[in-house]
Amino acid sequence: MARTAWDPRRLPDLTGRRYLVTGSTRGLGYFATEQLVRAGAHVILTGRNPNRLAAAHAAIERRVLDAAARGSGAEAAGGGEARHPTSGSLETLLLDTSNFGSIRAAAATARTRGPLHGLLLNAGIVHPPRTRQTVGGHELVFATNVLGHFSLAGELLQNLAVVGGRMVWIGSMSTLLGDHEPVDPELVNDYTPWRAYVQSKVATTVLGLEADRRLREAGVPVASLVAHPGYAISGRTAGVRGVNEPSRMTRFIDNLQAPISQSKEHGAHALVRALADADIEGGQFWGPRYLVHGTPHRTTPAKLLRDPALGTRLWDYCENATRVRWPFEKAARARRRLR
Ligand SMILES: NC(=O)c1ccc[n+]([C@@H]2O[C@H](COP(=O)([O-])OP(=O)(O)OC[C@H]3O[C@@H](n4cnc5c(N)ncnc54)[C@H](OP(=O)(O)O)[C@@H]3O)[C@@H](O)[C@H]2O)c1
């Protein structure tokens, strides 16, 4: 499909393609999952909480799969998205990205499920705690948003490589506001919630671009790229039982921000395009056309985010912290099998 023809409401047929989404219990991860399933994909829906995972699973069954069986998918979804003749499918998997043991266990299960066409590294703490907290000895936000995804992507590299898949890391426009170089990535000194969040998003972006450089250099047939959703808020998003139930006050406040925001469904469009558009290449950065809202558009990350020296530093930091070494050589052999 030509790049100009991409329509987020009318995705290409993704039947036979398999994706894994982290943090798919609500927000962008949930809506990205809905969009992929509606386009015919099989999605491994992951989350840290079994009840929320079950609620998200039930919501997709209700809004996409049951509605498709009744022949009313587009209306039931409320987003006006096109439904494909063959609806997709989904399964759930417990995965806490702040917990290395949980990641290893989930990855072991996911590996048995076979090839993966895409990995959406979406889970994240968006509102960090007021004071620094640690989990497994690491600062909570950095562990959840960065280290967990670094481990998971390394653990699943082979499954991506066998089908020439891709991984999408989630950045943020907050990384454009000021210089937030992660000199002290886990904020042992000078923790603030804002700094913890922005540094984690600088890190995911830098690692996403660094991963692509390393994958190319090693000849691994996997692309790594970065996407961001603009400013996507729940009060401007369709209500979904068990998944998105904002209070009246949240709706009121979020609607006051209408000119500078969008819904989470729309925020997910750039993430899904980065994951599923065959014309997109590794090393790219995608977000909404008008920064905070709009249709998916290729954009340029700030200079700091493209700095290979910072990429090397963060990569080494993550390898040491997680003890995960990406299996580049093994994954490169998949290229020969692909030919
Ligand atoms: N919304 C925006 O405007 C915006 C802007 C820029 C970037 N982003 C990025 O987009 C991603 C999603 O944001 P969102 O707005 O959709 O946030 P959200 O509505 O708060 O959803 C966050 C998701 O991440 C999950 N999560 C949090 N900690 C986790 C953990 N330890 N293990 C597994 N899952 C975990 C949550 O699961 P639970 O249901 O269990 O809490 C939830 O499913 C984040 O990476 C965020 O940084 C968002």
PDB file of all heavy atoms in Angstrom, residues 23 28 35 43 60 99 128 130 133-134 187 215-216 240 243 255 259 292 298 303 310 312 320 323:
ATOM      1  N   GLY A  23       0.926  -3.730  27.961  1.00  0.00           N
ATOM      2  CA  GLY A  23       0.024  -2.728  28.531  1.00  0.00           C
ATOM      3  C   GLY A  23      -1.235  -2.586  27.692  1.00  0.00           C
ATOM      4  O   GLY A  23      -1.667  -1.473  27.384  1.00  0.00           O
ATOM      5  N   LEU A  28      -3.806   3.495  25.238  1.00  0.00           N
ATOM      6  CA  LEU A  28      -3.348   3.316  23.855  1.00  0.00           C
ATOM      7  C   LEU A  28      -3.153   1.850  23.497  1.00  0.00           C
ATOM      8  O   LEU A  28      -3.464   1.424  22.380  1.00  0.00           O
ATOM      9  CB  LEU A  28      -2.033   4.076  23.668  1.00  0.00           C
ATOM     10  CG  LEU A  28      -2.190   5.580  23.869  1.00  0.00           C
ATOM     11  CD1 LEU A  28      -0.861   6.217  24.239  1.00  0.00           C
ATOM     12  CD2 LEU A  28      -2.756   6.218  22.616  1.00  0.00           C
ATOM     13  N   GLN A  35      -7.708  -2.197  17.200  1.00  0.00           N
ATOM     14  CA  GLN A  35      -7.554  -1.863  15.780  1.00  0.00           C
ATOM     15  C   GLN A  35      -6.891  -3.013  15.019  1.00  0.00           C
ATOM     16  O   GLN A  35      -7.266  -3.326  13.889  1.00  0.00           O
ATOM     17  CB  GLN A  35      -6.771  -0.554  15.640  1.00  0.00           C
ATOM     18  CG  GLN A  35      -7.607   0.653  16.085  1.00  0.00           C
ATOM     19  CD  GLN A  35      -6.790   1.917  16.354  1.00  0.00           C
ATOM     20  OE1 GLN A  35      -5.705   2.099  15.824  1.00  0.00           O
ATOM     21  NE2 GLN A  35      -7.330   2.796  17.199  1.00  0.00           N
ATOM     22  N   VAL A  43      -3.696 -11.136  18.171  1.00  0.00           N
ATOM     23  CA  VAL A  43      -2.927 -10.304  19.101  1.00  0.00           C
ATOM     24  C   VAL A  43      -2.799 -11.001  20.459  1.00  0.00           C
ATOM     25  O   VAL A  43      -3.774 -11.521  20.997  1.00  0.00           O
ATOM     26  CB  VAL A  43      -3.571  -8.909  19.291  1.00  0.00           C
ATOM     27  CG1 VAL A  43      -2.719  -8.054  20.231  1.00  0.00           C
ATOM     28  CG2 VAL A  43      -3.734  -8.197  17.960  1.00  0.00           C
ATOM     29  N   ILE A  60     -12.924  -6.598  23.939  1.00  0.00           N
ATOM     30  CA  ILE A  60     -12.631  -6.805  22.504  1.00  0.00           C
ATOM     31  C   ILE A  60     -13.553  -7.883  21.928  1.00  0.00           C
ATOM     32  O   ILE A  60     -14.046  -7.758  20.805  1.00  0.00           O
ATOM     33  CB  ILE A  60     -11.135  -7.133  22.278  1.00  0.00           C
ATOM     34  CG1 ILE A  60     -10.313  -5.914  22.690  1.00  0.00           C
ATOM     35  CG2 ILE A  60     -10.867  -7.481  20.811  1.00  0.00           C
ATOM     36  CD1 ILE A  60      -8.825  -6.038  22.511  1.00  0.00           C
ATOM     37  N   ASN A  99       9.015  -6.310  36.170  1.00  0.00           N
ATOM     38  CA  ASN A  99       9.467  -7.496  36.901  1.00  0.00           C
ATOM     39  C   ASN A  99      10.178  -8.450  35.931  1.00  0.00           C
ATOM     40  O   ASN A  99       9.553  -9.014  35.038  1.00  0.00           O
ATOM     41  CB  ASN A  99       8.214  -8.147  37.516  1.00  0.00           C
ATOM     42  CG  ASN A  99       8.534  -9.409  38.281  1.00  0.00           C
ATOM     43  OD1 ASN A  99       9.348 -10.225  37.870  1.00  0.00           O
ATOM     44  ND2 ASN A  99       7.862  -9.565  39.401  1.00  0.00           N
ATOM     45  N   PRO A 128       4.110   9.130  37.348  1.00  0.00           N
ATOM     46  CA  PRO A 128       5.015   8.509  38.321  1.00  0.00           C
ATOM     47  C   PRO A 128       4.702   8.924  39.752  1.00  0.00           C
ATOM     48  O   PRO A 128       4.093   9.974  39.997  1.00  0.00           O
ATOM     49  CB  PRO A 128       6.391   9.053  37.907  1.00  0.00           C
ATOM     50  CG  PRO A 128       6.236   9.490  36.500  1.00  0.00           C
ATOM     51  CD  PRO A 128       4.819   9.975  36.382  1.00  0.00           C
ATOM     52  N   ARG A 130       5.203  10.364  43.544  1.00  0.00           N
ATOM     53  CA  ARG A 130       5.803  11.658  43.935  1.00  0.00           C
ATOM     54  C   ARG A 130       7.228  11.505  44.428  1.00  0.00           C
ATOM     55  O   ARG A 130       8.048  12.391  44.241  1.00  0.00           O
ATOM     56  CB  ARG A 130       4.964  12.290  45.057  1.00  0.00           C
ATOM     57  CG  ARG A 130       3.604  12.744  44.575  1.00  0.00           C
ATOM     58  CD  ARG A 130       2.713  12.999  45.777  1.00  0.00           C
ATOM     59  NE  ARG A 130       3.098  14.232  46.449  1.00  0.00           N
ATOM     60  CZ  ARG A 130       2.533  15.402  46.223  1.00  0.00           C
ATOM     61  NH1 ARG A 130       1.566  15.505  45.337  1.00  0.00           N
ATOM     62  NH2 ARG A 130       2.913  16.475  46.868  1.00  0.00           N
ATOM     63  N   GLN A 133      10.617   5.431  43.913  1.00  0.00           N
ATOM     64  CA  GLN A 133      10.351   4.077  44.414  1.00  0.00           C
ATOM     65  C   GLN A 133      11.155   3.090  43.589  1.00  0.00           C
ATOM     66  O   GLN A 133      11.428   3.345  42.417  1.00  0.00           O
ATOM     67  CB  GLN A 133       8.864   3.742  44.275  1.00  0.00           C
ATOM     68  CG  GLN A 133       7.998   4.491  45.246  1.00  0.00           C
ATOM     69  CD  GLN A 133       6.522   4.137  45.086  1.00  0.00           C
ATOM     70  OE1 GLN A 133       6.173   3.115  44.525  1.00  0.00           O
ATOM     71  NE2 GLN A 133       5.671   5.014  45.582  1.00  0.00           N
ATOM     72  N   THR A 134      11.465   1.968  44.182  1.00  0.00           N
ATOM     73  CA  THR A 134      12.225   0.972  43.422  1.00  0.00           C
ATOM     74  C   THR A 134      11.463  -0.340  43.364  1.00  0.00           C
ATOM     75  O   THR A 134      10.612  -0.632  44.212  1.00  0.00           O
ATOM     76  CB  THR A 134      13.606   0.701  44.056  1.00  0.00           C
ATOM     77  OG1 THR A 134      13.404   0.307  45.404  1.00  0.00           O
ATOM     78  CG2 THR A 134      14.512   1.902  43.987  1.00  0.00           C
ATOM     79  N   LEU A 187      17.787   8.068  38.339  1.00  0.00           N
ATOM     80  CA  LEU A 187      17.539   9.223  39.209  1.00  0.00           C
ATOM     81  C   LEU A 187      17.812   8.937  40.688  1.00  0.00           C
ATOM     82  O   LEU A 187      16.957   9.172  41.540  1.00  0.00           O
ATOM     83  CB  LEU A 187      16.108   9.729  38.999  1.00  0.00           C
ATOM     84  CG  LEU A 187      15.899  10.351  37.618  1.00  0.00           C
ATOM     85  CD1 LEU A 187      14.424  10.588  37.351  1.00  0.00           C
ATOM     86  CD2 LEU A 187      16.653  11.670  37.494  1.00  0.00           C
ATOM     87  N   LEU A 215      20.610  -3.787  14.770  1.00  0.00           N
ATOM     88  CA  LEU A 215      19.969  -4.873  14.008  1.00  0.00           C
ATOM     89  C   LEU A 215      20.460  -4.859  12.559  1.00  0.00           C
ATOM     90  O   LEU A 215      20.766  -5.900  11.983  1.00  0.00           O
ATOM     91  CB  LEU A 215      18.445  -4.717  14.064  1.00  0.00           C
ATOM     92  CG  LEU A 215      17.829  -4.997  15.441  1.00  0.00           C
ATOM     93  CD1 LEU A 215      16.409  -4.437  15.536  1.00  0.00           C
ATOM     94  CD2 LEU A 215      17.821  -6.499  15.730  1.00  0.00           C
ATOM     95  N   ARG A 216      20.561  -3.666  11.992  1.00  0.00           N
ATOM     96  CA  ARG A 216      21.047  -3.560  10.598  1.00  0.00           C
ATOM     97  C   ARG A 216      22.486  -4.028  10.501  1.00  0.00           C
ATOM     98  O   ARG A 216      22.852  -4.768   9.595  1.00  0.00           O
ATOM     99  CB  ARG A 216      20.984  -2.109  10.119  1.00  0.00           C
ATOM    100  CG  ARG A 216      19.592  -1.705   9.689  1.00  0.00           C
ATOM    101  CD  ARG A 216      19.573  -0.212   9.414  1.00  0.00           C
ATOM    102  NE  ARG A 216      18.213   0.271   9.434  1.00  0.00           N
ATOM    103  CZ  ARG A 216      17.568   0.698   8.361  1.00  0.00           C
ATOM    104  NH1 ARG A 216      18.165   0.696   7.195  1.00  0.00           N
ATOM    105  NH2 ARG A 216      16.322   1.122   8.458  1.00  0.00           N
ATOM    106  N   VAL A 240     -15.553   2.457  27.462  1.00  0.00           N
ATOM    107  CA  VAL A 240     -15.512   1.003  27.226  1.00  0.00           C
ATOM    108  C   VAL A 240     -15.577   0.337  28.594  1.00  0.00           C
ATOM    109  O   VAL A 240     -14.686   0.554  29.429  1.00  0.00           O
ATOM    110  CB  VAL A 240     -14.200   0.575  26.508  1.00  0.00           C
ATOM    111  CG1 VAL A 240     -14.181  -0.941  26.317  1.00  0.00           C
ATOM    112  CG2 VAL A 240     -14.030   1.291  25.180  1.00  0.00           C
ATOM    113  N   VAL A 243     -12.653  -0.849  30.876  1.00  0.00           N
ATOM    114  CA  VAL A 243     -11.391  -0.434  30.244  1.00  0.00           C
ATOM    115  C   VAL A 243     -11.206   1.081  30.299  1.00  0.00           C
ATOM    116  O   VAL A 243     -10.157   1.586  30.691  1.00  0.00           O
ATOM    117  CB  VAL A 243     -11.342  -0.908  28.766  1.00  0.00           C
ATOM    118  CG1 VAL A 243     -10.142  -0.324  28.037  1.00  0.00           C
ATOM    119  CG2 VAL A 243     -11.320  -2.428  28.697  1.00  0.00           C
ATOM    120  N   ASN A 255     -12.320  17.624  28.077  1.00  0.00           N
ATOM    121  CA  ASN A 255     -12.950  18.291  26.926  1.00  0.00           C
ATOM    122  C   ASN A 255     -12.530  19.752  26.818  1.00  0.00           C
ATOM    123  O   ASN A 255     -12.508  20.314  25.723  1.00  0.00           O
ATOM    124  CB  ASN A 255     -14.473  18.124  26.972  1.00  0.00           C
ATOM    125  CG  ASN A 255     -14.850  16.757  26.403  1.00  0.00           C
ATOM    126  OD1 ASN A 255     -14.312  16.329  25.379  1.00  0.00           O
ATOM    127  ND2 ASN A 255     -15.737  16.051  27.082  1.00  0.00           N
ATOM    128  N   PRO A 259      -8.729  21.366  21.970  1.00  0.00           N
ATOM    129  CA  PRO A 259      -7.895  21.846  20.858  1.00  0.00           C
ATOM    130  C   PRO A 259      -6.458  21.311  20.888  1.00  0.00           C
ATOM    131  O   PRO A 259      -5.779  21.350  19.870  1.00  0.00           O
ATOM    132  CB  PRO A 259      -7.890  23.371  21.064  1.00  0.00           C
ATOM    133  CG  PRO A 259      -9.012  23.664  21.992  1.00  0.00           C
ATOM    134  CD  PRO A 259      -9.211  22.449  22.822  1.00  0.00           C
ATOM    135  N   VAL A 292       0.283  17.205  18.693  1.00  0.00           N
ATOM    136  CA  VAL A 292      -0.575  16.697  19.765  1.00  0.00           C
ATOM    137  C   VAL A 292      -1.732  15.863  19.233  1.00  0.00           C
ATOM    138  O   VAL A 292      -2.295  15.022  19.935  1.00  0.00           O
ATOM    139  CB  VAL A 292      -1.138  17.851  20.634  1.00  0.00           C
ATOM    140  CG1 VAL A 292      -0.077  18.401  21.549  1.00  0.00           C
ATOM    141  CG2 VAL A 292      -1.748  18.956  19.777  1.00  0.00           C
ATOM    142  N   ARG A 298       5.293  10.961   9.525  1.00  0.00           N
ATOM    143  CA  ARG A 298       6.698  10.727   9.877  1.00  0.00           C
ATOM    144  C   ARG A 298       7.323  12.040  10.352  1.00  0.00           C
ATOM    145  O   ARG A 298       7.132  13.080   9.733  1.00  0.00           O
ATOM    146  CB  ARG A 298       7.478  10.198   8.682  1.00  0.00           C
ATOM    147  CG  ARG A 298       8.866   9.806   9.105  1.00  0.00           C
ATOM    148  CD  ARG A 298       9.675   9.188   8.012  1.00  0.00           C
ATOM    149  NE  ARG A 298      11.056   9.116   8.456  1.00  0.00           N
ATOM    150  CZ  ARG A 298      12.070   8.853   7.670  1.00  0.00           C
ATOM    151  NH1 ARG A 298      11.859   8.613   6.388  1.00  0.00           N
ATOM    152  NH2 ARG A 298      13.285   8.819   8.157  1.00  0.00           N
ATOM    153  N   LYS A 303      17.658  16.200  18.302  1.00  0.00           N
ATOM    154  CA  LYS A 303      19.054  15.788  18.054  1.00  0.00           C
ATOM    155  C   LYS A 303      19.568  14.819  19.140  1.00  0.00           C
ATOM    156  O   LYS A 303      20.201  13.806  18.840  1.00  0.00           O
ATOM    157  CB  LYS A 303      19.916  17.062  18.007  1.00  0.00           C
ATOM    158  CG  LYS A 303      21.260  16.840  17.373  1.00  0.00           C
ATOM    159  CD  LYS A 303      21.946  18.164  17.128  1.00  0.00           C
ATOM    160  CE  LYS A 303      23.435  17.928  16.947  1.00  0.00           C
ATOM    161  NZ  LYS A 303      24.240  19.022  17.442  1.00  0.00           N
ATOM    162  N   LEU A 310      24.965   8.402  22.976  1.00  0.00           N
ATOM    163  CA  LEU A 310      23.984   8.193  24.050  1.00  0.00           C
ATOM    164  C   LEU A 310      23.347   6.810  23.880  1.00  0.00           C
ATOM    165  O   LEU A 310      23.089   6.105  24.864  1.00  0.00           O
ATOM    166  CB  LEU A 310      22.920   9.304  24.014  1.00  0.00           C
ATOM    167  CG  LEU A 310      21.807   9.207  25.056  1.00  0.00           C
ATOM    168  CD1 LEU A 310      22.367   9.147  26.474  1.00  0.00           C
ATOM    169  CD2 LEU A 310      20.835  10.395  24.925  1.00  0.00           C
ATOM    170  N   THR A 312      24.738   4.111  22.665  1.00  0.00           N
ATOM    171  CA  THR A 312      25.681   3.097  23.158  1.00  0.00           C
ATOM    172  C   THR A 312      25.681   3.071  24.684  1.00  0.00           C
ATOM    173  O   THR A 312      25.637   2.019  25.317  1.00  0.00           O
ATOM    174  CB  THR A 312      27.107   3.424  22.661  1.00  0.00           C
ATOM    175  OG1 THR A 312      27.054   3.502  21.247  1.00  0.00           O
ATOM    176  CG2 THR A 312      28.114   2.378  23.087  1.00  0.00           C
ATOM    177  N   ASN A 320      23.643  -4.272  31.369  1.00  0.00           N
ATOM    178  CA  ASN A 320      24.145  -4.550  32.719  1.00  0.00           C
ATOM    179  C   ASN A 320      23.007  -4.690  33.715  1.00  0.00           C
ATOM    180  O   ASN A 320      23.023  -5.562  34.580  1.00  0.00           O
ATOM    181  CB  ASN A 320      25.096  -3.442  33.174  1.00  0.00           C
ATOM    182  CG  ASN A 320      26.415  -3.534  32.432  1.00  0.00           C
ATOM    183  OD1 ASN A 320      26.811  -4.617  32.022  1.00  0.00           O
ATOM    184  ND2 ASN A 320      27.076  -2.400  32.218  1.00  0.00           N
ATOM    185  N   ARG A 323      20.835  -7.911  32.492  1.00  0.00           N
ATOM    186  CA  ARG A 323      21.624  -9.111  32.166  1.00  0.00           C
ATOM    187  C   ARG A 323      21.060  -9.822  30.941  1.00  0.00           C
ATOM    188  O   ARG A 323      21.185 -11.037  30.798  1.00  0.00           O
ATOM    189  CB  ARG A 323      21.715 -10.074  33.354  1.00  0.00           C
ATOM    190  CG  ARG A 323      22.286  -9.408  34.593  1.00  0.00           C
ATOM    191  CD  ARG A 323      22.797 -10.417  35.605  1.00  0.00           C
ATOM    192  NE  ARG A 323      23.236  -9.769  36.826  1.00  0.00           N
ATOM    193  CZ  ARG A 323      24.371  -9.084  36.954  1.00  0.00           C
ATOM    194  NH1 ARG A 323      25.203  -8.975  35.938  1.00  0.00           N
ATOM    195  NH2 ARG A 323      24.696  -8.512  38.106  1.00  0.00           N
TER     196      ARG A 323
END
